[in-house]
């Protein structure tokens, strides 16, 4: 039940205007919230309601700047971890494990398997996810195109990595496949990865047709 006096009624009306405006809706993508808040502030009208709307827009803009800074900090940390992982792995293999080979050396063939699987599942697939959410300066179609390129490169690296592991096992005197927990977990992961790729392809085919 609202107060009967004019001043209280006016205050309640102003609060209603503030809390019903869409500037309280926040976006996860940096830059969007500030644009939304600014446009809402322009539509908020004059008088006390306009002043309250401008204050709310200013607060939303400040929060948007903080969220944007946090977003890019996390993006930077993700890039450091991705590049750090693949760089340290390559350094370790070439300096302490003798490098890589495609055939005639079982140990080096497995080294190639390590690099390709880490590069595919972690480095390339990680960048596929990051570019899809972080490139807000470009049109969505360019985000999807770059995401697809990284995803295809990831699938290619994983496929070659699996082939190198099979070839390494076949080079042994008594070749065995899928006898360890590692191999079965890897097989399940590849199955889920392939399923995600199929869903991605079907979804985009339906979208563009």
């Amino acid at each position: 039940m609202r107060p009967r006096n004019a001043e209280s009624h006016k205050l309640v009306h102003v609060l209603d205007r503030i809390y019903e405006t869409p500037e309280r809706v926040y976006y996860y993508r940096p830059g969007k919230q500030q644009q939304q808040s600014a446009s809402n502030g322009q539509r908020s009208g004059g008088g006390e309601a306009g002043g309250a709307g401008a204050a709310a827009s200013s607060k939303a803009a400040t929060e948007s700047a903080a969220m944007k800074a946090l977003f890019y900090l996390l993006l930077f940390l993700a890039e450091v971890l991705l590049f750090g992982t693949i760089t340290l792995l390559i350094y370790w293999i070439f300096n302490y494990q003798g490098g890589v080979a495609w055939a005639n050396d079982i140990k080096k063939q497995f080294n190639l398997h390590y690099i390709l699987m880490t590069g595919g599942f972690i480095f390339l697939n990680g960048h596929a996810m990051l570019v899809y959410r972080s490139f807000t300066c470009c049109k969505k179609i360019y985000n999807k195109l770059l995401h697809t390129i990284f995803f295809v490169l990831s699938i290619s690296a994983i496929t070659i990595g699996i082939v190198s592991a099979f070839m390494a096992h076949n080079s042994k005197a008594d070749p065995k496949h899928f006898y360890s927990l590692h191999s079965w977990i890897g097989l399940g992961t590849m199955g889920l990865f392939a399923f995600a790729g199929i869903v991605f392809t079907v979804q985009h085919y339906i979208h563009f047709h």
Side-chain angles (χ1 to χ4, degrees):
M1 183 175 180
R2 294 191 174 184
R4 295 181 180 275
N5 62 76
E7 292 298 326
S8 298
H9 182 78
K10 188 175 182 180
L11 177 61
V12 171
H13 177 69
V14 171
L15 292 175
D16 286 343
R17 287 288 303 276
I18 295 173
Y19 283 94
E20 289 174 1
T21 49
E23 64 254 359
R24 296 182 62 81
V25 179
Y26 297 102
Y27 295 86
Y28 288 103
R29 300 186 72 180
K32 296 292 185 181
Q33 179 185 340
Q34 186 174 0
Q35 296 172 6
Q36 180 74 12
S37 300
S39 62
N40 290 330
Q42 293 174 359
R43 295 196 302 266
S44 60
E48 294 184 15
S57 297
S58 177
K59 180 180 178 181
T62 303
E63 292 176 352
S64 176
M67 290 295 294
K68 188 174 182 179
L70 178 60
F71 176 85
Y72 284 113
L73 174 61
L74 293 176
L75 179 63
F76 173 75
L77 292 176
E79 290 289 352
V80 169
L81 291 174
L82 289 173
F83 276 97
T85 299
I86 194 68
T87 302
L88 289 175
L89 178 63
I90 293 174
Y91 178 82
W92 173 68
I93 285 178
F94 278 91
N95 284 275
Y96 298 100
Q97 299 298 318
V100 299
W102 181 249
N104 302 323
D105 192 319
I106 296 176
K107 181 180 179 181
K108 291 184 179 181
Q109 286 175 270
F110 274 113
N111 289 343
L112 179 62
H113 171 76
Y114 303 149
I115 291 178
L116 290 173
M117 299 305 283
T118 303
F121 274 119
I122 297 178
F123 184 77
L124 292 172
N125 191 44
H127 277 94
M129 292 184 286
L130 286 178
V131 299
Y132 190 75
R133 299 302 303 171
S134 59
F135 281 21
T136 57
C137 60
C138 309
K139 293 182 179 179
K140 194 68 174 178
I141 185 63
Y142 299 139
N143 283 26
K144 291 182 178 180
L145 179 61
L146 192 57
H147 170 79
T148 303
I149 291 173
F150 273 111
F151 192 74
V152 171
L153 290 175
S154 175
I155 293 174
S156 303
I158 292 169
T159 303
I160 298 173
I162 289 298
V163 172
S164 69
F166 268 93
M167 292 178 62
H169 281 290
N170 289 333
S171 299
K172 296 180 179 180
D174 184 20
K176 294 180 181 179
H177 301 285
F178 300 106
Y179 59 87
S180 66
L181 181 61
H182 167 84
S183 59
W184 284 105
I185 291 176
L187 182 63
T189 304
M190 287 186 295
L192 292 174
F193 200 73
F195 177 74
I198 293 172
V199 172
F200 172 82
T201 304
V202 172
Q203 177 186 3
H204 283 73
Y205 178 82
I206 294 174
H207 176 75
F208 287 108
H209 290 78

